[in-house]
Amino acid sequence: MHLGVIGYGNITRALLGVLAREGKMPARVTLLVRPSQAGAAAESGASVVTEATALMAAGPDLIVECAGHSAVAEAVVPALGAGIECVVVSIGALADAALHADVTAAAKKGGSRVVLPAGAIGGVDLLAALKPSGIEAVTYVSRKPPLAWRGTPAEALLDLPALTEPTTFFTGNAREAALAYPKNANVAATLALAGLGFEATRVEMVADPGVSQNIHEYRVTSGAADYAMRIEGKPSPDNPKTSLATVYSVAREVMNRMTEVAI
Ligand SMILES: NC(=O)c1ccc[n+]([C@@H]2O[C@H](COP(=O)([O-])OP(=O)(O)OC[C@H]3O[C@@H](n4cnc5c(N)ncnc54)[C@H](O)[C@@H]3O)[C@@H](O)[C@H]2O)c1
């Protein structure tokens, strides 16, 4: 397998580590990185390119985007149009309706598809499967330690270091959540795309001094099953904003394409 990866940040480095440890490193890996990261990326032993056109010219069987919202427009859309299947981790980017339409059109044109991994959460298979049964409600609560909300609009709403009780500072739909809190949009967008869409998926954000991890809780009611999930994500050592589970979710997508029994 020839794997293309966009980005050389926390997820990519950890992903390559998991694949190596599992003995599932693809025969060939090409990394599309920012020019400033080309040197560091080359030390991984993979081929390195700095232009989206060069990644496509290399002809990977699968591309995994682990970079950021801009990479979806710059590199995923053309790759899909060229017929290459893409796994997109920056799922919050698809809250942008125009970009979502471009992704869909490119996949259609190229006869390819975009795969959205479960990322930081689980149970997305069940939510997506339940869709035809009629989903009545999806409510997601993102609960993080107060200081994990630094650098977001929550800073202007709350005195984060002084909080002594769990405080809900955002209630709205997944579209509003993704637009106001783009760095925290991935899980809300994943649930929206799997289930009721951006307008009808309810989101709450809580600064909670009683927790030390990034906690994702969601509840689904539908025609065929009701369920609730709580995932206590352990932060990645290199980027505490990214749950380690995301890395393993992406690794699963790659390894499932290199095995006889995919699960
Ligand atoms: N789906 C989920 O549940 C989930 C969970 C966590 C993170 N994410 C998303 O995954 C992405 C990567 O996360 P991370 O922790 O590795 O971030 P990171 O900041 O550690 O690394 C991202 C790297 O990609 C590079 N990059 C950005 N745009 C690029 C482009 N157009 N071309 C090439 N390189 C580019 C950056 O320079 C950076 O080095 C982020 O968008 C994040 O929001 C998704």
Side-chain angles (χ1 to χ4, degrees), residues 6-13 32-34 37 65-71 74 89-91 117-121 183 186-187 190 239 241-243 246:
I6 307 170
Y8 193 65
N10 161 63
I11 293 181
T12 300
R13 288 193 299 270
L32 168 61
V33 304
R34 297 284 197 210
Q37 293 176 310
E65 176 279 320
C66 308
H69 295 191
S70 69
E74 288 168 24
V89 184
S90 303
I91 298 176
I121 57 167
K183 289 181 187 157
N186 293 304
V187 172
T190 303
N239 182 352
K241 285 202 176 95
T242 291
S243 296
T246 305

Side-chain angles (χ1 to χ4, degrees), residues 24-229:
K24 294 277 186 181
M25 186 61 81
R28 201 175 153 198
V29 178
T30 302
L31 304 176
L32 168 61
V33 304
R34 297 284 197 210
S36 60
Q37 293 176 310
E43 287 174 22
S44 70
S47 306
V48 176
V49 296
T50 56
E51 299 285 341
T53 47
L55 177 61
M56 283 184 287
D61 304 302
L62 174 74
I63 290 177
V64 178
E65 176 279 320
C66 308
H69 295 191
S70 69
V72 178
E74 288 168 24
V76 170
V77 168
L80 289 168
I84 304 170
E85 181 180 17
C86 295
V87 174
V88 167
V89 184
S90 303
I91 298 176
L94 300 181
D96 175 341
L99 183 55
H100 187 276
D102 287 349
V103 163
T104 310
K108 197 169 181 183
K109 174 180 156 236
S112 54
R113 64 176 191 156
V114 61
V115 173
L116 305 179
I121 57 167
V124 181
D125 55 343
L126 184 56
L127 176 56
L130 291 173
K131 209 166 171 175
S133 82
I135 294 175
E136 286 141 28
V138 180
T139 306
Y140 164 55
V141 180
S142 176
R143 185 181 300 276
K144 297 185 184 183
L147 295 185
W149 293 107
R150 269 187 308 201
T152 77
E155 240 177 353
L157 301 171
L158 304 173
D159 182 1
L160 293 169
L163 285 186
T164 53
E165 288 184 9
T167 307
T168 301
F169 60 88
F170 175 92
T171 305
N173 68 27
R175 179 94 60 202
E176 293 158 350
L179 293 177
Y181 293 82
K183 289 181 187 157
N184 296 278
N186 293 304
V187 172
T190 303
L191 291 171
L193 289 161
L196 272 182
F198 282 95
E199 270 65 38
T201 300
R202 305 301 303 165
V203 177
E204 282 178 34
M205 298 183 200
V206 182
D208 188 342
V211 302
S212 57
Q213 296 175 331
N214 293 344
I215 298 180
H216 307 283
E217 296 163 311
Y218 71 95
R219 176 169 290 282
V220 174
T221 51
S222 79
D226 302 336
Y227 72 98
M229 288 210 71

